[in-house]
Amino acid sequence: QVQLVESGGGLVQAGGSLRLSCVASGDIFKIDSMGWYRQAPGTQRDLVATLGSDDSPYYADSVKGRFTISRDNAKKSVYLQMDSLKPEDAGVYYCSSIITNYVKRKSHYWGQGTQVTVSS
């Protein structure tokens, strides 16, 4: 079993900042990638940012230059620094990870989500 637990969401004014954290635990042999998705009410879950095993970052166009993704492999954690937040950044942010367990099975895991609200 693998668990992803997010923290750091909340209410912030437009132009403000938030930092999301996600820590993975459980049957983990190797973390292949970690990232963040966002889902606003009535919409699909969209990729915001991700880091591959080579730490190459990917950002959605809407967040480039404002969000920064980073990871701490020793802590099995990924972070999302969100600056210059806009109302359209609001939604539930989900941590996502591709993880290989000790029997070498690779699976995709999700956290429970953390709410980000941006007031205008």
Side-chain angles (χ1 to χ4, degrees):
Q1 291 281 6
V2 171
Q3 296 81 38
L4 301 179
V5 178
E6 304 106 330
S7 60
L11 171 64
V12 64
Q13 286 189 330
S17 297
L18 281 175
R19 185 174 187 251
L20 305 183
S21 300
C22 172
V23 59
S25 63
D27 183 11
I28 299 171
F29 172 75
K30 179 174 179 271
I31 297 178
D32 297 287
S33 68
M34 296 190 85
W36 295 92
Y37 285 70
R38 175 178 63 225
Q39 187 167 23
T43 70
Q44 65 182 19
R45 193 174 295 185
D46 292 324
L47 178 63
V48 175
T50 188
L51 275 174
S53 56
D54 60 355
D55 279 345
S56 56
Y58 166 85
Y59 295 98
D61 287 343
S62 61
V63 307
K64 282 180 182 176
R66 299 187 298 119
F67 290 12
T68 304
I69 188 170
S70 60
R71 64 191 281 181
D72 184 330
N73 293 326
K75 295 182 179 180
K76 298 184 177 65
S77 295
V78 65
Y79 310 96
L80 187 67
Q81 178 66 41
M82 304 186 293
D83 298 319
S84 303
L85 280 160
K86 304 176 181 179
E88 52 263 42
D89 294 321
V92 179
Y93 281 72
Y94 294 91
C95 180
S96 163
S97 184
I98 306 293
I99 291 172
T100 300
N101 66 12
Y102 282 98
V103 295
K104 304 301 167 34
R105 178 176 180 176
K106 185 179 294 188
S107 301
H108 187 182
Y109 296 93
W110 294 94
Q112 81 285 355
T114 185
Q115 178 72 47
V116 171
T117 304
V118 184
S119 63
S120 56

mmCIF file of all heavy atoms in Angstrom, residues 24-61:
data_model
loop_
_atom_site.group_PDB
_atom_site.id
_atom_site.type_symbol
_atom_site.label_atom_id
_atom_site.label_comp_id
_atom_site.label_asym_id
_atom_site.label_seq_id
_atom_site.Cartn_x
_atom_site.Cartn_y
_atom_site.Cartn_z
ATOM 1 N N ALA A 24 4.875 10.913 0.350
ATOM 2 C CA ALA A 24 4.499 9.541 0.027
ATOM 3 C C ALA A 24 5.045 8.598 1.091
ATOM 4 O O ALA A 24 6.137 8.802 1.627
ATOM 5 C CB ALA A 24 5.054 9.149 -1.340
ATOM 6 N N SER A 25 4.269 7.556 1.387
ATOM 7 C CA SER A 25 4.720 6.564 2.357
ATOM 8 C C SER A 25 4.150 5.203 1.974
ATOM 9 O O SER A 25 3.189 5.103 1.210
ATOM 10 C CB SER A 25 4.267 6.946 3.768
ATOM 11 O OG SER A 25 2.853 6.964 3.865
ATOM 12 N N GLY A 26 4.783 4.168 2.525
ATOM 13 C CA GLY A 26 4.288 2.818 2.275
ATOM 14 C C GLY A 26 5.282 1.978 1.500
ATOM 15 O O GLY A 26 6.493 2.124 1.628
ATOM 16 N N ASP A 27 4.736 1.096 0.677
ATOM 17 C CA ASP A 27 5.519 0.123 -0.085
ATOM 18 C C ASP A 27 6.149 0.802 -1.306
ATOM 19 O O ASP A 27 5.651 0.698 -2.416
ATOM 20 C CB ASP A 27 4.611 -1.029 -0.507
ATOM 21 C CG ASP A 27 5.349 -2.128 -1.253
ATOM 22 O OD1 ASP A 27 6.603 -2.117 -1.265
ATOM 23 O OD2 ASP A 27 4.670 -2.992 -1.848
ATOM 24 N N ILE A 28 7.268 1.486 -1.077
ATOM 25 C CA ILE A 28 7.897 2.281 -2.131
ATOM 26 C C ILE A 28 9.312 1.802 -2.367
ATOM 27 O O ILE A 28 10.172 1.915 -1.504
ATOM 28 C CB ILE A 28 7.914 3.771 -1.751
ATOM 29 C CG1 ILE A 28 6.489 4.287 -1.556
ATOM 30 C CG2 ILE A 28 8.655 4.579 -2.824
ATOM 31 C CD1 ILE A 28 6.418 5.687 -0.981
ATOM 32 N N PHE A 29 9.556 1.283 -3.562
ATOM 33 C CA PHE A 29 10.921 0.951 -3.973
ATOM 34 C C PHE A 29 11.548 2.109 -4.728
ATOM 35 O O PHE A 29 12.701 2.469 -4.519
ATOM 36 C CB PHE A 29 10.909 -0.305 -4.846
ATOM 37 C CG PHE A 29 12.233 -0.635 -5.476
ATOM 38 C CD1 PHE A 29 13.251 -1.176 -4.704
ATOM 39 C CD2 PHE A 29 12.476 -0.405 -6.826
ATOM 40 C CE1 PHE A 29 14.492 -1.468 -5.259
ATOM 41 C CE2 PHE A 29 13.706 -0.695 -7.395
ATOM 42 C CZ PHE A 29 14.705 -1.229 -6.612
ATOM 43 N N LYS A 30 10.752 2.715 -5.611
ATOM 44 C CA LYS A 30 11.264 3.821 -6.415
ATOM 45 C C LYS A 30 10.099 4.734 -6.789
ATOM 46 O O LYS A 30 9.038 4.261 -7.180
ATOM 47 C CB LYS A 30 11.942 3.277 -7.673
ATOM 48 C CG LYS A 30 12.494 4.330 -8.624
ATOM 49 C CD LYS A 30 13.257 3.658 -9.747
ATOM 50 C CE LYS A 30 13.814 4.668 -10.736
ATOM 51 N NZ LYS A 30 12.871 4.965 -11.798
ATOM 52 N N ILE A 31 10.337 6.033 -6.664
ATOM 53 C CA ILE A 31 9.361 7.022 -7.122
ATOM 54 C C ILE A 31 9.779 7.479 -8.509
ATOM 55 O O ILE A 31 10.835 8.092 -8.681
ATOM 56 C CB ILE A 31 9.259 8.200 -6.154
ATOM 57 C CG1 ILE A 31 8.750 7.723 -4.794
ATOM 58 C CG2 ILE A 31 8.330 9.265 -6.721
ATOM 59 C CD1 ILE A 31 8.655 8.814 -3.741
ATOM 60 N N ASP A 32 8.977 7.167 -9.500
ATOM 61 C CA ASP A 32 9.332 7.504 -10.875
ATOM 62 C C ASP A 32 8.988 8.948 -11.213
ATOM 63 O O ASP A 32 9.729 9.619 -11.940
ATOM 64 C CB ASP A 32 8.615 6.547 -11.827
ATOM 65 C CG ASP A 32 9.068 5.110 -11.618
ATOM 66 O OD1 ASP A 32 10.196 4.786 -12.022
ATOM 67 O OD2 ASP A 32 8.308 4.339 -11.007
ATOM 68 N N SER A 33 7.872 9.426 -10.730
ATOM 69 C CA SER A 33 7.505 10.816 -10.981
ATOM 70 C C SER A 33 6.551 11.273 -9.884
ATOM 71 O O SER A 33 5.878 10.462 -9.238
ATOM 72 C CB SER A 33 6.838 10.982 -12.345
ATOM 73 O OG SER A 33 5.576 10.352 -12.358
ATOM 74 N N MET A 34 6.531 12.582 -9.671
ATOM 75 C CA MET A 34 5.582 13.182 -8.732
ATOM 76 C C MET A 34 5.086 14.477 -9.342
ATOM 77 O O MET A 34 5.848 15.187 -10.021
ATOM 78 C CB MET A 34 6.231 13.462 -7.368
ATOM 79 C CG MET A 34 6.686 12.218 -6.634
ATOM 80 S SD MET A 34 7.182 12.551 -4.922
ATOM 81 C CE MET A 34 5.579 12.463 -4.089
ATOM 82 N N GLY A 35 3.831 14.789 -9.085
ATOM 83 C CA GLY A 35 3.295 16.007 -9.668
ATOM 84 C C GLY A 35 1.999 16.432 -9.029
ATOM 85 O O GLY A 35 1.555 15.851 -8.032
ATOM 86 N N TRP A 36 1.417 17.467 -9.607
ATOM 87 C CA TRP A 36 0.198 18.063 -9.092
ATOM 88 C C TRP A 36 -0.823 18.256 -10.201
ATOM 89 O O TRP A 36 -0.468 18.684 -11.309
ATOM 90 C CB TRP A 36 0.507 19.419 -8.461
ATOM 91 C CG TRP A 36 1.370 19.330 -7.248
ATOM 92 C CD1 TRP A 36 2.727 19.403 -7.199
ATOM 93 C CD2 TRP A 36 0.929 19.145 -5.905
ATOM 94 N NE1 TRP A 36 3.159 19.266 -5.911
ATOM 95 C CE2 TRP A 36 2.077 19.106 -5.099
ATOM 96 C CE3 TRP A 36 -0.331 19.008 -5.304
ATOM 97 C CZ2 TRP A 36 2.009 18.937 -3.710
ATOM 98 C CZ3 TRP A 36 -0.398 18.840 -3.937
ATOM 99 C CH2 TRP A 36 0.755 18.808 -3.152
ATOM 100 N N TYR A 37 -2.069 17.951 -9.872
ATOM 101 C CA TYR A 37 -3.201 18.187 -10.747
ATOM 102 C C TYR A 37 -4.182 19.101 -10.033
ATOM 103 O O TYR A 37 -4.196 19.174 -8.808
ATOM 104 C CB TYR A 37 -3.909 16.871 -11.089
ATOM 105 C CG TYR A 37 -3.188 15.998 -12.077
ATOM 106 C CD1 TYR A 37 -2.002 15.350 -11.741
ATOM 107 C CD2 TYR A 37 -3.697 15.796 -13.358
ATOM 108 C CE1 TYR A 37 -1.344 14.541 -12.647
ATOM 109 C CE2 TYR A 37 -3.049 14.985 -14.278
ATOM 110 C CZ TYR A 37 -1.877 14.364 -13.908
ATOM 111 O OH TYR A 37 -1.235 13.554 -14.820
ATOM 112 N N ARG A 38 -4.997 19.779 -10.803
ATOM 113 C CA ARG A 38 -6.018 20.658 -10.246
ATOM 114 C C ARG A 38 -7.371 20.322 -10.853
ATOM 115 O O ARG A 38 -7.476 20.070 -12.053
ATOM 116 C CB ARG A 38 -5.689 22.127 -10.535
ATOM 117 C CG ARG A 38 -6.749 23.114 -10.088
ATOM 118 C CD ARG A 38 -6.304 24.549 -10.378
ATOM 119 N NE ARG A 38 -6.141 24.796 -11.791
ATOM 120 C CZ ARG A 38 -5.094 25.440 -12.314
ATOM 121 N NH1 ARG A 38 -4.130 25.876 -11.527
ATOM 122 N NH2 ARG A 38 -5.024 25.642 -13.610
ATOM 123 N N GLN A 39 -8.384 20.367 -9.998
ATOM 124 C CA GLN A 39 -9.744 20.150 -10.478
ATOM 125 C C GLN A 39 -10.653 21.218 -9.894
ATOM 126 O O GLN A 39 -10.831 21.300 -8.685
ATOM 127 C CB GLN A 39 -10.249 18.763 -10.098
ATOM 128 C CG GLN A 39 -11.587 18.417 -10.703
ATOM 129 C CD GLN A 39 -11.924 16.939 -10.567
ATOM 130 O OE1 GLN A 39 -11.418 16.243 -9.698
ATOM 131 N NE2 GLN A 39 -12.774 16.437 -11.457
ATOM 132 N N ALA A 40 -11.210 22.037 -10.780
ATOM 133 C CA ALA A 40 -12.188 23.039 -10.375
ATOM 134 C C ALA A 40 -13.587 22.420 -10.492
ATOM 135 O O ALA A 40 -13.773 21.438 -11.219
ATOM 136 C CB ALA A 40 -12.071 24.274 -11.255
ATOM 137 N N PRO A 41 -14.569 22.981 -9.795
ATOM 138 C CA PRO A 41 -15.924 22.418 -9.847
ATOM 139 C C PRO A 41 -16.443 22.321 -11.272
ATOM 140 O O PRO A 41 -16.359 23.266 -12.048
ATOM 141 C CB PRO A 41 -16.742 23.420 -9.024
ATOM 142 C CG PRO A 41 -15.760 24.010 -8.078
ATOM 143 C CD PRO A 41 -14.470 24.097 -8.851
ATOM 144 N N GLY A 42 -16.956 21.146 -11.625
ATOM 145 C CA GLY A 42 -17.543 20.949 -12.935
ATOM 146 C C GLY A 42 -16.551 20.777 -14.062
ATOM 147 O O GLY A 42 -16.936 20.771 -15.239
ATOM 148 N N THR A 43 -15.275 20.632 -13.729
ATOM 149 C CA THR A 43 -14.261 20.474 -14.778
ATOM 150 C C THR A 43 -13.488 19.186 -14.565
ATOM 151 O O THR A 43 -13.571 18.544 -13.527
ATOM 152 C CB THR A 43 -13.285 21.660 -14.787
ATOM 153 O OG1 THR A 43 -12.460 21.603 -13.612
ATOM 154 C CG2 THR A 43 -14.027 22.982 -14.820
ATOM 155 N N GLN A 44 -12.684 18.843 -15.560
ATOM 156 C CA GLN A 44 -11.841 17.650 -15.432
ATOM 157 C C GLN A 44 -10.602 17.972 -14.626
ATOM 158 O O GLN A 44 -10.285 19.139 -14.395
ATOM 159 C CB GLN A 44 -11.452 17.152 -16.818
ATOM 160 C CG GLN A 44 -10.563 18.107 -17.603
ATOM 161 C CD GLN A 44 -10.254 17.584 -19.002
ATOM 162 O OE1 GLN A 44 -10.941 16.717 -19.522
ATOM 163 N NE2 GLN A 44 -9.213 18.102 -19.613
ATOM 164 N N ARG A 45 -9.929 16.935 -14.192
ATOM 165 C CA ARG A 45 -8.683 17.103 -13.444
ATOM 166 C C ARG A 45 -7.556 17.355 -14.443
ATOM 167 O O ARG A 45 -7.293 16.537 -15.331
ATOM 168 C CB ARG A 45 -8.399 15.838 -12.623
ATOM 169 C CG ARG A 45 -7.341 15.990 -11.582
ATOM 170 C CD ARG A 45 -7.246 14.739 -10.721
ATOM 171 N NE ARG A 45 -8.455 14.496 -9.942
ATOM 172 C CZ ARG A 45 -8.571 13.529 -9.042
ATOM 173 N NH1 ARG A 45 -7.539 12.726 -8.803
ATOM 174 N NH2 ARG A 45 -9.696 13.361 -8.382
ATOM 175 N N ASP A 46 -6.900 18.485 -14.302
ATOM 176 C CA ASP A 46 -5.858 18.889 -15.257
ATOM 177 C C ASP A 46 -4.480 18.886 -14.605
ATOM 178 O O ASP A 46 -4.329 19.260 -13.442
ATOM 179 C CB ASP A 46 -6.131 20.297 -15.802
ATOM 180 C CG ASP A 46 -7.372 20.330 -16.689
ATOM 181 O OD1 ASP A 46 -7.608 19.345 -17.414
ATOM 182 O OD2 ASP A 46 -8.083 21.353 -16.648
ATOM 183 N N LEU A 47 -3.493 18.532 -15.401
ATOM 184 C CA LEU A 47 -2.113 18.555 -14.934
ATOM 185 C C LEU A 47 -1.644 19.994 -14.747
ATOM 186 O O LEU A 47 -1.818 20.828 -15.632
ATOM 187 C CB LEU A 47 -1.211 17.835 -15.932
ATOM 188 C CG LEU A 47 0.277 17.807 -15.630
ATOM 189 C CD1 LEU A 47 0.550 17.067 -14.340
ATOM 190 C CD2 LEU A 47 1.042 17.182 -16.787
ATOM 191 N N VAL A 48 -1.038 20.251 -13.601
ATOM 192 C CA VAL A 48 -0.484 21.574 -13.311
ATOM 193 C C VAL A 48 1.032 21.560 -13.477
ATOM 194 O O VAL A 48 1.612 22.394 -14.161
ATOM 195 C CB VAL A 48 -0.842 22.018 -11.881
ATOM 196 C CG1 VAL A 48 -0.157 23.332 -11.531
ATOM 197 C CG2 VAL A 48 -2.353 22.133 -11.723
ATOM 198 N N ALA A 49 1.680 20.610 -12.838
ATOM 199 C CA ALA A 49 3.139 20.531 -12.899
ATOM 200 C C ALA A 49 3.561 19.131 -12.497
ATOM 201 O O ALA A 49 2.894 18.473 -11.695
ATOM 202 C CB ALA A 49 3.784 21.560 -11.982
ATOM 203 N N THR A 50 4.682 18.694 -13.052
ATOM 204 C CA THR A 50 5.186 17.377 -12.707
ATOM 205 C C THR A 50 6.696 17.336 -12.824
ATOM 206 O O THR A 50 7.291 18.143 -13.543
ATOM 207 C CB THR A 50 4.552 16.295 -13.607
ATOM 208 O OG1 THR A 50 4.915 15.005 -13.120
ATOM 209 C CG2 THR A 50 5.022 16.432 -15.041
ATOM 210 N N LEU A 51 7.299 16.415 -12.080
ATOM 211 C CA LEU A 51 8.738 16.176 -12.124
ATOM 212 C C LEU A 51 8.968 14.705 -12.415
ATOM 213 O O LEU A 51 8.466 13.842 -11.694
ATOM 214 C CB LEU A 51 9.378 16.522 -10.790
ATOM 215 C CG LEU A 51 9.771 17.957 -10.508
ATOM 216 C CD1 LEU A 51 10.247 18.092 -9.068
ATOM 217 C CD2 LEU A 51 10.855 18.424 -11.468
ATOM 218 N N GLY A 52 9.740 14.430 -13.466
ATOM 219 C CA GLY A 52 10.086 13.060 -13.777
ATOM 220 C C GLY A 52 11.230 12.566 -12.919
ATOM 221 O O GLY A 52 11.774 13.308 -12.094
ATOM 222 N N SER A 53 11.617 11.312 -13.117
ATOM 223 C CA SER A 53 12.690 10.724 -12.325
ATOM 224 C C SER A 53 14.022 11.434 -12.553
ATOM 225 O O SER A 53 14.912 11.387 -11.702
ATOM 226 C CB SER A 53 12.841 9.235 -12.631
ATOM 227 O OG SER A 53 13.048 9.041 -14.022
ATOM 228 N N ASP A 54 14.148 12.108 -13.703
ATOM 229 C CA ASP A 54 15.365 12.880 -13.979
ATOM 230 C C ASP A 54 15.218 14.321 -13.510
ATOM 231 O O ASP A 54 16.056 15.168 -13.850
ATOM 232 C CB ASP A 54 15.686 12.848 -15.469
ATOM 233 C CG ASP A 54 14.565 13.439 -16.320
ATOM 234 O OD1 ASP A 54 13.509 13.780 -15.757
ATOM 235 O OD2 ASP A 54 14.746 13.550 -17.544
ATOM 236 N N ASP A 55 14.133 14.601 -12.757
ATOM 237 C CA ASP A 55 13.845 15.937 -12.227
ATOM 238 C C ASP A 55 13.582 16.970 -13.309
ATOM 239 O O ASP A 55 13.705 18.176 -13.065
ATOM 240 C CB ASP A 55 14.972 16.429 -11.308
ATOM 241 C CG ASP A 55 14.844 15.839 -9.905
ATOM 242 O OD1 ASP A 55 13.760 15.314 -9.591
ATOM 243 O OD2 ASP A 55 15.816 15.899 -9.150
ATOM 244 N N SER A 56 13.222 16.529 -14.483
ATOM 245 C CA SER A 56 12.856 17.481 -15.529
ATOM 246 C C SER A 56 11.438 17.968 -15.247
ATOM 247 O O SER A 56 10.510 17.182 -15.136
ATOM 248 C CB SER A 56 12.933 16.811 -16.896
ATOM 249 O OG SER A 56 12.106 15.658 -16.920
ATOM 250 N N PRO A 57 11.234 19.285 -15.105
ATOM 251 C CA PRO A 57 9.905 19.793 -14.777
ATOM 252 C C PRO A 57 9.042 20.025 -16.006
ATOM 253 O O PRO A 57 9.543 20.315 -17.087
ATOM 254 C CB PRO A 57 10.212 21.112 -14.079
ATOM 255 C CG PRO A 57 11.460 21.588 -14.750
ATOM 256 C CD PRO A 57 12.240 20.343 -15.113
ATOM 257 N N TYR A 58 7.745 19.866 -15.795
ATOM 258 C CA TYR A 58 6.766 20.241 -16.800
ATOM 259 C C TYR A 58 5.734 21.117 -16.116
ATOM 260 O O TYR A 58 5.304 20.822 -15.000
ATOM 261 C CB TYR A 58 6.066 19.018 -17.394
ATOM 262 C CG TYR A 58 4.837 19.398 -18.181
ATOM 263 C CD1 TYR A 58 4.942 19.770 -19.515
ATOM 264 C CD2 TYR A 58 3.579 19.442 -17.582
ATOM 265 C CE1 TYR A 58 3.817 20.149 -20.228
ATOM 266 C CE2 TYR A 58 2.453 19.826 -18.283
ATOM 267 C CZ TYR A 58 2.575 20.177 -19.611
ATOM 268 O OH TYR A 58 1.476 20.566 -20.317
ATOM 269 N N TYR A 59 5.365 22.202 -16.779
ATOM 270 C CA TYR A 59 4.352 23.111 -16.249
ATOM 271 C C TYR A 59 3.260 23.332 -17.291
ATOM 272 O O TYR A 59 3.554 23.482 -18.488
ATOM 273 C CB TYR A 59 4.962 24.462 -15.888
ATOM 274 C CG TYR A 59 5.964 24.436 -14.771
ATOM 275 C CD1 TYR A 59 7.325 24.409 -15.038
ATOM 276 C CD2 TYR A 59 5.549 24.446 -13.443
ATOM 277 C CE1 TYR A 59 8.251 24.387 -14.013
ATOM 278 C CE2 TYR A 59 6.470 24.430 -12.406
ATOM 279 C CZ TYR A 59 7.819 24.397 -12.708
ATOM 280 O OH TYR A 59 8.737 24.375 -11.679
ATOM 281 N N ALA A 60 2.034 23.392 -16.826
ATOM 282 C CA ALA A 60 0.968 23.832 -17.708
ATOM 283 C C ALA A 60 1.232 25.289 -18.092
ATOM 284 O O ALA A 60 1.799 26.055 -17.300
ATOM 285 C CB ALA A 60 -0.376 23.716 -17.005
ATOM 286 N N ASP A 61 0.845 25.666 -19.284
ATOM 287 C CA ASP A 61 1.110 27.032 -19.761
ATOM 288 C C ASP A 61 0.534 28.074 -18.811
ATOM 289 O O ASP A 61 1.131 29.143 -18.615
ATOM 290 C CB ASP A 61 0.513 27.218 -21.160
ATOM 291 C CG ASP A 61 1.296 26.493 -22.232
ATOM 292 O OD1 ASP A 61 2.464 26.124 -21.968
ATOM 293 O OD2 ASP A 61 0.746 26.290 -23.330
#
